[in-house]
Amino acid sequence: MDTYDVIVIGTGAGGGMAIKTLCEAGLKVCALNAGRQLDPAKDFRHHRLPYDMKFRGFDSPERRAQSVGYMDSEYVAPDAWEHEIAYATAEGTRWTWPRSNAVGGKTNFWGRSAARMAEIDFKAASRDGFDVDWPISYDEIAPYYTRVEEMIGVASTIQNRTSNPDGRYLPPISFRCLDHIIEAGAKKSGIPYLPDRIAQLTKEHQGHPPCHYCGNCTEGCDVGAFFSSPYFLLPTAHATGNLELRTNAVAREILVDSDGRAKGVAYIDRTNRAEREVYAKAVVVAASCATTAQIMLNSKSRHWPSGIANSSGQLGRNLCDHLYGTSGYGYLPQLLGQPSFPDNVSTATVAWLPRWQNLDNPKQEKFIRGYSFYPGGGCDVFPSYYDDIEGFGASYRAEIKRRYPTPVSFTVQAPSQRSDQNFVDIDPIKKDVFGNPQVRFHFAWDENTMKMWEHSVQVCKELFHNMGGVYQGHGEPESPGWSLHETGTCRMGNDPQHFVTNRFGQTHDVPNLYACDASVLLNCTDKTTTLSVLAFSLRTSEYIVNQFKAGSQTSTVPSRG
């Protein structure tokens, strides 16, 4: 029977950071991962273009019908994204849930934008009166942001803005022609247009090579030139000799001892459906926001009849997400007929338009808090405007080429806020292929988020005018869940009656049980979540190490033998 110091469920951003930190501190760690280890040499796209692939990148009709999100395509292995483990949605809820259960999780494919959250985010409730403040200040988490940036490499510039504090950066990705045109238009609109904070290496860093801009990073990097857990965290943990990684291990529930403390994890081996158990003195759940809640809600016992560490009734509640959508698209006539150049930069967010709303006056706009934009454009692999052009033959091809450098679009990143109507629970009837009760989503965009969306559409119309572009329209909000940025479900706070975890990610009810993913974050902001997940996980992991040093991490676990 195997007994470890710590079991970590999940190997993505939060789990990977916990595994690395705990192993480096000398603790014996067993990591459970629900999928297999990917092999970049076989499972990623490399330098292939759509015409190199059998289905031109669209994949077979059968697999396309099962695709969950734009990244789940012919460019990656069929099992890189989860299709086997089902989930449920409540009546009236639309939720798209791209999950990668491969080792490293979504860090294999993420968008790489990596901005710090700010004091204006952590103390937003004090400014606008909605919800509650976070239980920590920016000054407390800032040193962890710095260490993470130095660890993974983030390219950007010093920008001196209230909403996005500066950090330690590699040189930014250079602006393209289209960026300079948009920047000039944004300046007329009073909107910042700046280099994004992006975890994509512009120079060699910590033994990792710089990006050579060869392909579509969001579908996997074969050289490790952007941060992912398998390239940046797990090798260090393995090198300590303190890590055992169990793949294809689908966590079912957290086991408890006679006192209700965590003593291990029961899981299913998805290769043969066998049930297994593993034991430890402490358990870290980092399976991603909704799955973490699912595992904990399914961990029922006489001590925890509504799920482990759920005496507050808040486990699974307070689900938040980013609304994504194309707020405006069109083209730049200034670039018509210019030579083609690979300036789409592999879907990298070269620039961003960080939050500029409600900074000085928290109620300046008709909505509270704020959103950001990511611009896209340039010579993409496939010309998205192909059906905007009439004609055929040589004249059609000539017009395609003439327009090739000109497309521009803006994707809004608008945060939803806490709501009693948005949460996950356990479906009372449905079970997945492994017999585990399914997690069920209840979600709708709130009025505040929709006001941000409407505002962003109007801003884009003005922006196209000011940059001399041709505005062609806007899209509609994507399905909730599409951004992969869900937060909440195990929110941190000082009051055990209203929060699942404390300010260190430790559950109030079970002192040897921790959450190290976006589930502990109180809400979304105008920034993405991965950098914050890494920083908070680092902080929690070092807290766990200190708990071990103090001798407080104990449970009644079977002895090794």
Side-chain angles (χ1 to χ4, degrees), residues 518-538:
S519 66
V520 302
L521 306 183
L522 268 66
N523 50 264
C524 297
T525 70
D526 56 301
K527 275 78 72 174
T528 57
T529 55
T530 301
L531 188 78
S532 292
V533 168
L534 288 165
F536 278 86
S537 177
L538 176 57

Side-chain angles (χ1 to χ4, degrees), residues 259-329:
D259 297 323
R261 295 166 65 99
K263 72 172 185 180
V265 177
Y267 66 93
I268 308 295
D269 185 332
R270 71 189 302 165
T271 64
N272 57 19
R273 304 297 197 262
E275 295 191 18
R276 310 286 188 196
E277 293 184 355
V278 60
Y279 301 95
K281 299 172 184 173
V283 174
V284 172
V285 193
S288 85
C289 177
T291 303
T292 285
Q294 178 186 14
I295 294 169
M296 293 174 65
L297 287 166
N298 277 332
S299 301
K300 296 180 180 179
S301 64
R302 65 181 178 86
H303 295 283
W304 313 111
S306 62
I308 192 168
N310 192 25
S311 67
S312 66
Q314 293 298 302
L315 179 59
R317 312 296 299 190
N318 311 302
L319 178 67
C320 294
D321 192 28
H322 274 140
L323 183 151
Y324 268 32
T326 301
S327 300
Y329 63 89

Side-chain angles (χ1 to χ4, degrees), residues 71 193 205 224 327 363 392 397 497 534:
M71 292 178 286
Y193 191 89
H205 182 73
S327 300
K363 297 186 178 179
F392 58 90
R397 292 195 297 273
Q497 294 186 344
L534 288 165

Side-chain angles (χ1 to χ4, degrees), residues 361-403:
N361 178 357
K363 297 186 178 179
Q364 180 181 357
E365 302 289 350
K366 294 180 180 177
F367 52 86
I368 60 170
R369 307 186 185 179
Y371 65 85
S372 57
F373 277 133
Y374 291 113
C379 300
D380 202 350
V381 173
F382 187 81
S384 58
Y385 52 89
Y386 70 95
D387 57 354
D388 295 337
I389 299 172
E390 296 183 354
F392 58 90
S395 63
Y396 180 79
R397 292 195 297 273
E399 185 60 16
I400 285 283
K401 186 174 182 179
R402 196 173 80 94
R403 288 270 299 270

Side-chain angles (χ1 to χ4, degrees), residues 141-445:
I141 197 68
Y144 296 92
Y145 277 132
T146 300
R147 290 168 60 192
V148 170
E149 288 161 349
E150 292 175 341
M151 190 184 305
I152 70 174
V154 178
S156 191
T157 57
I158 300 300
Q159 299 172 357
N160 297 313
R161 294 186 56 79
T162 305
S163 63
N164 49 297
D166 296 310
R168 303 278 180 86
Y169 299 124
L170 305 178
I173 297 176
S174 299
F175 271 9
R176 307 150 293 184
C177 284
L178 66 93
D179 291 307
H180 291 292
I181 295 171
I182 301 172
E183 182 183 32
K187 186 176 182 181
K188 293 179 183 177
S189 296
I191 301 173
Y193 191 89
L194 300 165
D196 190 22
R197 283 64 158 98
I198 183 165
Q200 187 165 332
L201 303 184
T202 52
K203 58 184 289 188
E204 183 178 352
H205 182 73
Q206 304 284 6
H208 301 280
C211 178
H212 55 281
Y213 310 113
C214 71
N216 194 339
C217 317
T218 311
E219 284 145 352
C221 178
D222 56 332
V223 298
F226 70 75
F227 164 74
S228 69
S229 179
Y231 273 109
F232 283 70
L233 302 177
L234 298 181
T236 305
H238 277 296
T240 66
N242 292 324
L243 171 63
E244 179 180 337
L245 172 61
R246 299 187 184 184
T247 58
N248 292 308
V250 181
R252 187 185 68 199
E253 66 175 302
I254 297 161
L255 304 171
V256 297
D257 63 15
S258 58
D259 297 323
R261 295 166 65 99
K263 72 172 185 180
V265 177
Y267 66 93
I268 308 295
D269 185 332
R270 71 189 302 165
T271 64
N272 57 19
R273 304 297 197 262
E275 295 191 18
R276 310 286 188 196
E277 293 184 355
V278 60
Y279 301 95
K281 299 172 184 173
V283 174
V284 172
V285 193
S288 85
C289 177
T291 303
T292 285
Q294 178 186 14
I295 294 169
M296 293 174 65
L297 287 166
N298 277 332
S299 301
K300 296 180 180 179
S301 64
R302 65 181 178 86
H303 295 283
W304 313 111
S306 62
I308 192 168
N310 192 25
S311 67
S312 66
Q314 293 298 302
L315 179 59
R317 312 296 299 190
N318 311 302
L319 178 67
C320 294
D321 192 28
H322 274 140
L323 183 151
Y324 268 32
T326 301
S327 300
Y329 63 89
Y331 66 92
L332 298 172
Q334 303 95 315
L335 298 178
L336 282 169
Q338 293 297 311
S340 298
F341 185 76
D343 57 359
N344 188 261
V345 198
S346 308
T347 68
T349 49
V350 176
W352 74 325
L353 293 78
R355 171 184 170 183
W356 69 92
Q357 320 92 25
N358 295 328
L359 296 182
D360 296 327
N361 178 357
K363 297 186 178 179
Q364 180 181 357
E365 302 289 350
K366 294 180 180 177
F367 52 86
I368 60 170
R369 307 186 185 179
Y371 65 85
S372 57
F373 277 133
Y374 291 113
C379 300
D380 202 350
V381 173
F382 187 81
S384 58
Y385 52 89
Y386 70 95
D387 57 354
D388 295 337
I389 299 172
E390 296 183 354
F392 58 90
S395 63
Y396 180 79
R397 292 195 297 273
E399 185 60 16
I400 285 283
K401 186 174 182 179
R402 196 173 80 94
R403 288 270 299 270
Y404 199 44
T406 69
V408 173
S409 63
F410 296 90
T411 299
V412 69
Q413 180 169 265
S416 73
Q417 301 301 323
R418 194 211 76 80
S419 167
D420 288 337
Q421 280 67 53
N422 294 336
F423 61 94
V424 298
D425 62 4
I426 299 300
D427 190 283
I429 299 174
K430 297 178 180 177
K431 295 186 177 181
D432 66 26
V433 67
F434 302 112
N436 296 324
Q438 293 182 19
V439 66
R440 179 173 60 179
F441 289 87
H442 305 251
F443 195 90
W445 296 122

